[in-house]
Structures are given as C-alpha cells and as structure tokens.
Amino acid sequence: MGDRYLVLGDHHGDTESLRRVLDDVDGETFDFVVHVGDFTDAMRAGRETASRQLREVEPLLADLADHARHDLVWVWGNRDTFGEFDATLDVGTEIPTAGCVTVGGQRFTNSPDAVAEDVILVTHMETWRLLDQFEGRAHFCGNTHLGRLKGRRLNSAFLQCTHRKTGEQSYGGYFLVDVTDEPPLDVEMREIGTLNRFDCPEHGERGVQYHDAFDDCMYCAEPDILRREMAASAFYGLTHDRDQDTVSAGELVSSAVDLWDDSPTDFRSEFAAYVDGIEDDRYAPLARTDGGRLCVAETSYAY
C-alpha cells in the first residue's frame, strides 16, 4: 500500500510560484500535500513584511490543501523567523518538533529522534547525518535549494528564490512522490520555471540532483558540499546508539570511504585534507576538541 504526496517548499513569501503550482495541478488529487517551510522571508524582510507575506500566501495554501484527500502538513523554515510576534497559519496541520502527529492514518514528525519505520520525517534543514542511516518511511526537506533524491530522502529544491546580490528571481519546481512500504521513493519532478535534473557519473551514489545553481553536478562544482554531508553521515554512523561523542580523524575518514560502494578517485585523500582543516569551513557539521578529536560543532549548520 502507498500514498501519493505533493511535496514543495521554499517560496519565501512569493505568491506567483504557488499560483503556478495550483494551475499545474488543476483537477488532480493527492493523499497529502507536504510543505517543507520558508513560507516567508521574515528573517531578511522583517516582521511587518513577513506578516503581510503570511496573510497573502495563506489562502493559496488553503487552495493547495483542497487537493489533498487528507490534509496539508507543514513545518516552519529557517527564514520564517518572526521576531517579536508569534506567527500562525490557520490552514493544514503543523508537524510537531517533538513526538508525532497522525493525519489520515499516517504519522509525521519534525524530530529525527521520533523517527520509526512507519513515520514520515519532515524537516526544513537537510539533516545531513540521516543521509545514509535513515530508518523512517520517508524524509522530506528543503532549505538548500539543491534538490536531491537519495533512497527515502527527497530535498524538494525550491519554488522561488531571489538572488541577494543581483535581485534576480528564479522559479523552480515541485515533486509528486509515491511512498510505499519498499524503498526507493518513486518521484516525478515538475518544473514551474527552471529546475534541471543531473545524474553525475562520478557522484551518482549520492543521489539524483535537481537544481539550477550550477551547470552540472553540485558536488563537482562545490566539493565542500559533498565533504560536509559525508562528515556528518560518517560521524553519525560511528556514534549513533554508542557510548561515544567524539571520533578520531582516521576513524571518520575510513567510515566516510566505507559509505561508498565505489568512491570517487582521490576521495580518501581529499576528504582527509578537508577533515584536517575542518575549522576553516564555516558550515562544517563537526569541530575539533582540545584533544584533537572530532565532535558535533556547537553551531553546526545541518548536522
């Protein structure tokens, strides 16, 4: 048995992108609509603008909810930082940050600690550590605008983003996902602007990519993206359910290499060099202890 999901997010207060989705799915029905957050651009635009954005997107979200047999389920994003007032959405079901909520017979959570084999995890952040050790039914996320499908995990890229330096606006896309008892997810990407699919011959084990940020594979263009997630995933594999919270550099490197069936050329040496200088990466998930071992960074971006 399976359910069909419409998965989308990251439109940052934009209404045109939601209207494009609504036009595209006219006449279609899904079991669930899932929104992975960043309804507004509160963090950058300020609370007054964010309040207006939330009022403007809410009726469009209600229209999307009408396409769900069960409901629209959603989480807040990192840009939905509303400052001195409490934001509310009177549509759909907010997925809790602790425990689970059951909608239409399916359990959802926003907490990795609440994941079980019958639970769907919905987070805004990618949560790199779960890329290779995920035991839930599915994981939907966003934030990076770099969409990717790997196993039971889908990053839904973005609906709309505005480039901070140029002011240029881009429209991306959304996904239709069939979730069954057996992996992998069956995913269809639908564009509402420009969203390209990439199957990198060197990094294909890390999943199918959907983005417009680079001309080709994001790992080839920005190798630190790969190194960050491999560091988080390898560290989690070494420490999860074990009585330890630090690892040696050698242990981490070997664990990261073992996550591949066929690691890229020079991956071991390049990853080892990254770990040696991990303090220089502002987005690193790990940090070095006074004793020289590795631990989760206090300000880890997406561990």
Side-chain angles (χ1 to χ4, degrees), residues 26-157:
D26 185 40
E28 294 186 76
T29 302
F30 313 95
D31 293 293
F32 297 94
V33 176
V34 178
H35 196 297
V36 300
D38 274 5
F39 297 99
T40 72
D41 201 13
M43 185 175 69
R44 295 176 177 172
R47 59 179 181 169
E48 184 175 339
T49 298
S51 180
R52 173 182 56 78
Q53 289 175 339
L54 205 59
R55 291 195 304 270
E56 290 174 348
V57 303
E58 189 168 45
L60 299 172
L61 295 172
D63 289 342
L64 276 172
D66 289 341
H67 287 266
R69 293 186 181 90
H70 300 301
D71 206 356
L72 162 73
V73 295
W74 54 269
V75 297
W76 294 116
N78 66 311
R79 291 204 195 176
D80 298 322
T81 303
F82 293 89
E84 298 177 9
F85 73 94
D86 293 327
T88 59
L89 272 177
D90 294 324
V91 60
T93 300
E94 181 178 3
I95 300 172
T97 56
C100 298
V101 63
T102 300
V103 179
Q106 174 61 58
R107 293 203 295 161
F108 296 88
T109 187
N110 181 223
S111 169
D113 293 335
V115 169
E117 64 179 8
D118 63 335
V119 172
I120 290 180
L121 175 65
V122 182
T123 62
H124 182 64
M125 305 299 281
E126 278 208 303
T127 319
W128 291 322
R129 67 186 182 273
L130 298 181
L131 271 164
D132 300 283
Q133 293 97 9
F134 180 68
E135 299 175 352
R137 185 169 172 81
H139 179 195
F140 301 128
C141 61
N143 179 60
T144 65
H145 304 166
L146 301 172
R148 186 178 23 157
L149 169 66
K150 184 179 186 298
R152 287 187 170 273
R153 193 285 197 83
L154 173 70
N155 182 314
S156 63

Side-chain angles (χ1 to χ4, degrees), residues 159-187:
L159 288 178
Q160 182 273 347
C161 69
T162 302
H163 300 279
R164 295 186 71 180
K165 292 183 179 179
T166 66
E168 182 182 358
Q169 189 176 54
S170 296
Y171 292 100
Y174 66 98
F175 295 80
L176 303 185
V177 184
D178 291 319
V179 179
T180 64
D181 293 336
E182 297 296 329
L185 301 177
D186 184 3
V187 172

Side-chain angles (χ1 to χ4, degrees), residues 176-225:
L176 303 185
V177 184
D178 291 319
V179 179
T180 64
D181 293 336
E182 297 296 329
L185 301 177
D186 184 3
V187 172
E188 174 190 349
M189 181 265 283
R190 290 187 179 178
E191 297 177 55
I192 60 167
T194 302
L195 204 60
N196 300 309
R197 171 178 171 147
F198 301 97
D199 297 89
C200 178
E202 185 172 15
H203 300 109
E205 287 187 39
R206 304 312 293 171
V208 179
Q209 302 174 36
Y210 309 92
H211 60 78
D212 70 352
F214 308 108
D215 292 333
D216 207 329
C217 168
M218 61 184 174
Y219 299 130
C220 294
E222 294 286 348
D224 277 352
I225 296 174

